[in-house]
Amino acid sequence: KNEVEQSPQNLTAQEGEFITINCSYSVGISALHWLQQHPGGGIVSLFMLSSGKKKHGRLIATINIQEKHSSLHITASHPRDSAVYICAVYGEYGNKLVFGAGTILRVKS
Amino acid sequence: DAGITQSPRHKVTETGTPVTLRCHQTENHRYMYWYRQDPGHGLRLIHYSYGVKDTDKGEVSDGYSVSRSKTEDFLLTLESATSSQTSVYFCAIKLQGSYEQYFGPGTRLTVT
């Protein structure tokens, strides 16, 4: 079993829909990273969380340390949000990220 | 982009040849990382560095070596490339006093 599990693996949405991507992890962590990768593109940092909630534009990330779970929400989705969204965690004592497999999001107009 | 560049951006090489990929940063970050990204496996850590001449292995380090002789450059070497090393390679840095990592643009390596 992977230490970091993302769901769903694939997601297709209509423009304007509210989207949720989930990340569960099985180890104690220091922090959790949400990343975005457009097709053929580079990897962009969206959020770094160790507790609570963060918001940037239409993106919201939450984390529940007790439940070992994080969610990434996209409000009013747009075709330009189509990308792979990757969750990654730092272990309690390390400086290394462990990655989930990613969620492929496609937003149709 | 935190001033990270990778070179080359694309390379095709033959099995058995040595290959060196370069990651260069301009902002004096202490931590640097090499990852590979493959379909079905996601991102996996190859090696990382926590200072000049200080490096450690990641989960897929076999067949790879690294060197960091100065803060700004982190080199990844495939001593004898194999077809299984065909991949996209990303370099990253970790910001000082933070857990956040920023990634370079990637190098697409094909071993024929």
Side-chain angles (χ1 to χ4, degrees):
Chain A
K1 187 179 187 298
N2 292 335
E3 291 181 351
V4 181
E5 297 276 356
Q6 287 186 237
S7 63
Q9 290 183 323
N10 290 277
L11 180 57
T12 300
Q14 285 296 133
E15 184 174 358
E17 286 185 357
F18 180 84
I19 290 165
T20 296
I21 298 170
N22 297 298
C23 176
S24 297
Y25 50 92
S26 56
V27 297
I29 68 167
S30 303
L32 183 144
H33 216 342
W34 280 104
L35 303 158
Q36 179 194 55
Q37 186 176 26
H38 280 101
I43 300 168
V44 175
S45 172
L46 295 176
F47 295 103
M48 176 60 70
L49 292 163
S50 54
S51 64
K53 177 179 175 178
K54 287 189 177 180
K55 184 175 189 290
H56 181 72
R58 294 181 296 106
L59 273 58
I60 303 165
T62 63
I63 188 168
N64 185 317
I65 297 293
Q66 287 72 31
E67 294 185 4
K68 293 187 166 66
H69 182 268
S70 175
S71 294
L72 177 68
H73 304 288
I74 304 174
T75 62
S77 59
H78 189 276
R80 65 176 174 267
D81 296 324
S82 298
V84 178
Y85 292 85
I86 303 167
C87 171
V89 301
Y90 278 105
E92 282 182 314
Y93 305 109
N95 284 296
K96 299 183 286 188
L97 281 171
V98 177
F99 295 85
T103 294
I104 302 171
L105 172 65
R106 181 183 172 212
V107 181
K108 299 195 288 187
S109 57
Chain B
D1 63 1
I4 307 167
T5 57
Q6 292 183 230
S7 59
R9 295 291 313 280
H10 301 271
K11 186 170 182 66
V12 179
T13 192
E14 293 184 348
T15 298
T17 59
V19 177
T20 295
L21 308 182
R22 179 184 183 230
C23 178
H24 179 77
Q25 57 141 331
T26 59
E27 298 182 8
N28 213 34
H29 297 292
R30 182 180 166 200
Y31 282 85
M32 298 183 76
Y33 301 82
W34 276 109
Y35 299 98
R36 59 178 290 174
Q37 186 178 41
D38 305 287
H41 290 280
L43 284 156
R44 293 179 291 174
L45 179 65
I46 305 172
H47 283 278
Y48 73 104
S49 169
Y50 47 95
V52 173
K53 297 186 180 172
D54 291 323
T55 64
D56 203 354
K57 295 179 180 180
E59 62 179 306
V60 290
S61 59
D62 286 349
Y64 301 95
S65 62
V66 289
S67 66
R68 193 165 178 203
S69 58
K70 46 186 179 177
T71 302
E72 58 265 36
D73 287 326
F74 191 31
L75 305 180
L76 177 71
T77 297
L78 292 64
E79 300 289 348
S80 178
T82 67
S83 58
S84 65
Q85 293 175 312
T86 292
S87 187
V88 180
Y89 291 85
F90 287 96
C91 171
I93 58 92
K94 185 167 73 77
L95 299 185
Q96 303 284 72
S98 167
Y99 290 106
E100 197 158 3
Q101 289 194 20
Y102 284 89
F103 289 75
T107 294
R108 184 173 295 276
L109 176 68
T110 302
V111 183
T112 61

